[in-house]
Amino acid sequence: GAVVSQHPSRVICKSGTSVKIECRSLDFQATTMFWYRQFPKQSLMLMATSNEGSKATYEQGVEKDKFLINHASLTLSTLTVTSAHPEDSSFYICSANGQGNMNTEAFFGQGTRLTVV
Amino acid sequence: QQPVQSPQAVILREGEDAVINCSSSKALYSVHWYRQKHGEAPVFLMILLKGGEQKGHEKISASFNEKKQQSSLYLTASQLSYSGTYFCGTEGGGSYIPTFGRGTSLIVHP
């Protein structure tokens, strides 16, 4: 089946620094990828929809200048958490729909556990 | 609009059955079911697209009602490996962006 690879799986960074998270579709082209954030024992909350070749669409309340999304190719989307603070510590997960189609199963990356100290 | 999942938590002994429900106030295009182990990404279980559809195998299956507003996940003769948090993801109300329920924590004891 389709595979989405997310890297890194864990990262610890100092407050004020930036962290980049990569999300790759390994065997299919994903024109759209989704970035989620998950706090402990809570649901996946959509942060933004990443569209290849165009600006990402951010959900209400998500700061686009803080969470920079770049989707430069059909197989790679990146999320950069800029000037990270302890409250940004969370589990970040990307997903892409198989073959870029909606209404099909969503393939998730492994997730990235971000800890800001 | 976030779907409503129930119950919030289920505790079972091995071999017992469980039902997890997912409902929406609007008709949906699809319902996805996922299981997430602690610290890991969700793993896809199945997707339902048609009203009245039932899918899966005898141990883990799901249904989608005729109005396409409610889905149930059935776990029969549960195994220890079934433990985790189950999420339904839905698409509907004019949007094809998946929205997830709050999750149901399932714990299976020996």
Side-chain angles (χ1 to χ4, degrees), chain B residues 40-99:
Chain B
E40 300 178 11
V43 173
F44 173 80
L45 296 177
M46 66 191 82
I47 181 173
L48 299 105
L49 299 170
K50 299 176 184 176
E53 183 176 7
Q54 293 197 2
K55 208 172 203 178
H57 51 78
E58 59 182 50
K59 291 288 183 92
I60 301 178
S61 61
S63 64
F64 199 9
N65 76 343
E66 288 289 345
K67 286 187 176 180
K68 300 179 74 175
Q69 288 182 254
Q70 197 269 337
S71 175
S72 295
L73 183 70
Y74 306 95
L75 303 155
T76 57
S78 59
Q79 304 168 14
L80 295 176
S81 61
Y82 287 6
S83 293
T85 302
Y86 289 79
F87 290 98
C88 65
T90 61
E91 294 165 322
S95 171
Y96 282 97
I97 297 173
T99 305

